[in-house]
Amino acid sequence: MIPIVGINECGKTTILQAIYCFDYTNDKEYKGRHLQNIKNLYETVHDEGSIEAEIACTKQELDRIIENVIMDINKKYITKSDGQNFKRIDKNEFLNKTRNINGDSVTITRNLNTKNYTFSYLKNEDSEIQNAVAKYIIERELPYILYNDDFTDRPESVIKIPEEKSEQLSGWLAIYERACQSANKEFSIFKLANITDNREKNSILSEIEKNLNNKLTQDWEKFSVDNNKLKIKLDVNNNELNIQIKETIGGNERFFDVIDRSKGFLWFYNFIMKVRFNAKANIKSGLEKDTIFLLDEPGSYLHLNAQDKLCSNLNKISSEDGIVIYCTHSHHLLNPEYIPINNIHIVEKKPKKLVQLIPISMLQYGIMIRKAEISSKKPKNTLEKKNPRNSNCFQWKIRQK
């Protein structure tokens, strides 16, 4: 786990959103808000924004990936951004050009204005080829990047179901579609909307509810300080998915819209639904991947005891599912029992309101000691994680720029 701490308005959220911007498969999430405000509003003249990731890998892995991308281009006649088709590429000729390139890492940079990628390994090649290879690596090889901001993305009680299913779903519609398919891969919100036999529809909804409740109830009991039993109730009518919370008190059932519940429950529901039913699993071809969890003020509405439990649960998530990077003001989420002191990073604003992320290990006797930027213009601070479950998966680094 990597906690990020700092005073209000220091730029903690900016760092999380910058990491989130790197993965193009996130572009439609949160209605693209993380890509819309990329200018430094403290300045009147702006350079193009970019985010850079250094990927540790072998040349053999790169050659395998480039070969696969060339096969995709030749098979599907992938279209360039100008509407023209790629010409067929001679695989052996192309790989021969990279034969003498050595090194144990490559750099992928995303221009946040054009939304395109450049790829250091192929820096002398057509920009469209670089973009295609980078996208292939991000989609097929790198960890998922999930961003959870419960301040701006609260769970909804009613979700409109479009008449046609788009190729790439986003937001809460994608999450509930994934929840349906988690119960049975043949289930779909879109199919439910077209079922006229209420007996059949209610039977399917019952299976989906059972799957949802088995996952959510267990997690809720870890956070809750009372003994009330909460369950999810679903209904589909008039091209709308309706979500309610059913609470049993003294043997009596009471029903509430999701938004009727406490802020603590809303945070929990938001967090667990996005962790349990990752909407990007379909995009990533169902491959088992590590995940980078970006959490903005997790558990800020939870009771203090629940925050202690949350810290334990985040530690478990980070050891089993990937890496957790989160901003916090709570000392309950900095418990040294789970978090090595050197994992904590501090955010401060430099001149011209630039944001800098500093490992706490660089603080001595209360004096801020910055790594010397004299020897290189590129910051040395990186975040690093290796996927233990997939030997072909890259080690990854996200570099601030």
Side-chain angles (χ1 to χ4, degrees):
M1 291 196 293
I2 300 178
I4 298 175
V5 299
I7 63 174
N8 290 330
E9 297 290 318
C10 67
K12 299 186 296 296
T13 298
T14 299
I15 290 172
L16 296 185
Q17 290 185 348
I19 297 172
Y20 194 56
C21 285
F22 178 74
D23 188 339
Y24 77 97
T25 64
N26 295 324
D27 287 358
K28 291 186 178 181
E29 299 297 325
Y30 294 96
K31 300 180 180 179
R33 287 191 295 268
H34 54 291
L35 289 167
Q36 295 168 3
N37 298 308
I38 60 175
K39 294 180 179 178
N40 182 352
L41 298 181
Y42 292 98
E43 297 291 315
T44 54
V45 178
H46 305 284
D47 295 327
E48 288 190 330
S50 64
I51 181 165
E52 178 182 290
E54 183 180 340
I55 318 293
C57 57
T58 66
K59 178 170 172 52
Q60 289 73 24
E61 286 176 314
L62 279 173
D63 286 345
R64 169 182 61 81
I65 288 168
I66 291 171
E67 184 173 346
N68 288 337
V69 174
I70 291 174
M71 290 174 60
D72 277 355
I73 290 173
N74 289 343
K75 181 179 179 181
K76 301 177 182 177
Y77 295 97
I78 295 174
T79 303
K80 295 185 179 183
S81 58
D82 62 4
Q84 302 298 314
N85 287 333
F86 280 110
K87 295 180 180 178
R88 291 186 65 85
I89 299 172
D90 186 292
K91 178 183 66 176
N92 294 327
E93 179 183 339
F94 193 91
L95 290 175
N96 279 336
K97 290 189 289 186
T98 65
R99 188 177 300 280
N100 296 323
I101 299 178
N102 296 312
D104 57 2
S105 67
V106 294
T107 299
I108 297 177
T109 303
R110 189 180 198 194
N111 184 311
L112 298 181
N113 295 83
T114 66
K115 309 298 187 293
N116 291 329
Y117 294 90
T118 53
F119 188 46
S120 62
Y121 191 71
L122 302 174
K123 61 183 178 182
N124 296 323
E125 298 300 323
D126 185 293
S127 61
E128 299 281 0
I129 295 289
Q130 294 187 49
N131 193 51
V133 173
K135 283 189 169 184
Y136 183 97
I137 291 173
I138 290 166
E139 183 173 341
R140 304 290 184 89
E141 303 290 339
L142 297 188
Y144 306 138
I145 302 180
L146 292 181
Y147 177 56
N148 187 33
D149 176 12
D150 63 304
F151 293 101
T152 59
D153 189 39
R154 294 297 177 85
E156 301 173 10
S157 295
V158 179
I159 296 175
K160 295 286 186 181
I161 304 173
E163 292 185 3
E164 295 185 3
K165 183 177 180 179
S166 62
E167 183 176 345
Q168 182 175 331
L169 300 177
S170 62
W172 284 98
L173 179 63
I175 291 171
Y176 283 109
E177 176 70 358
R178 177 66 176 164
C180 288
Q181 294 176 349
S182 175
N184 186 313
K185 64 180 182 180
E186 298 298 323
F187 292 167
S188 169
I189 293 176
F190 297 87
K191 291 181 180 178
L192 281 167
N194 291 316
I195 294 177
T196 56
D197 187 333
N198 285 332
R199 296 167 300 178
E200 179 186 1
K201 180 168 64 176
N202 290 336
S203 295
I204 293 173
L205 286 171
S206 177
E207 287 191 34
I208 297 170
E209 289 172 1
K210 180 181 178 181
N211 182 60
L212 262 173
N213 289 321
N214 284 342
K215 297 177 184 298
L216 294 176
T217 301
Q218 293 176 4
D219 289 321
W220 175 242
E221 289 175 351
K222 297 176 183 178
F223 292 92
S224 178
V225 294
D226 56 46
N227 295 319
N228 294 338
K229 302 297 182 181
L230 301 180
K231 292 187 178 297
I232 308 300
K233 178 67 177 175
L234 303 177
D235 190 24
V236 174
N237 274 307
N238 300 320
N239 287 330
E240 289 182 345
L241 172 65
N242 294 276
I243 307 100
Q244 288 191 318
I245 306 299
K246 180 174 71 174
E247 182 173 355
T248 302
I249 304 175
N252 297 314
E253 295 181 346
R254 298 292 182 264
F255 294 85
F256 305 85
D257 288 338
V258 177
I259 58 175
D260 293 332
R261 305 302 301 188
S262 69
K263 290 180 178 179
F265 177 83
L266 290 177
W267 179 86
F268 157 81
Y269 190 80
N270 192 333
F271 173 68
I272 294 299
M273 288 294 288
K274 290 177 181 176
V275 170
R276 292 284 193 180
F277 306 107
N278 174 9
K280 297 184 181 61
N282 292 330
I283 299 174
K284 303 285 185 175
S285 304
L287 299 175
E288 184 177 358
K289 298 286 183 190
D290 260 355
T291 301
I292 304 171
F293 298 94
L294 306 175
L295 310 179
D296 200 348
E297 302 286 355
S300 56
Y301 297 120
L302 293 177
H303 185 274
L304 298 183
N305 291 339
Q307 289 188 19
D308 287 329
K309 294 179 182 179
L310 173 62
C311 191
S312 173
N313 289 336
L314 292 180
N315 181 59
K316 183 178 180 181
I317 289 171
S318 68
S319 64
E320 296 179 356
D321 301 312
I323 187 169
V324 178
I325 306 172
Y326 62 95
C327 302
T328 186
H329 290 284
S330 172
H331 66 276
H332 293 275
L333 296 180
L334 300 174
N335 189 337
E337 181 179 349
Y338 306 113
I339 304 164
I341 188 69
N342 289 336
N343 281 18
I344 300 173
H345 286 62
I346 296 174
V347 179
E348 73 163 9
K349 278 188 179 178
K350 297 171 67 178
K352 297 186 178 180
K353 304 298 182 180
L354 298 178
V355 177
Q356 183 177 21
L357 188 62
I358 306 169
I360 200 170
S361 59
M362 294 165 59
L363 299 178
Q364 296 180 1
Y365 307 108
I367 301 175
M368 190 74 70
I369 301 177
R370 296 172 177 81
K371 275 192 176 180
E373 294 180 287
I374 299 173
S375 60
S376 173
K377 292 183 179 180
K378 293 183 178 179
K380 300 293 185 181
N381 301 334
T382 58
L383 309 177
E384 188 170 331
K385 176 72 177 179
K386 189 170 183 179
N387 188 342
R389 296 195 300 270
N390 186 346
S391 59
N392 293 323
C393 185
F394 287 34
Q395 187 178 16
W396 58 270
K397 296 180 182 178
I398 296 175
R399 172 182 291 157
Q400 296 169 257
K401 185 169 183 177

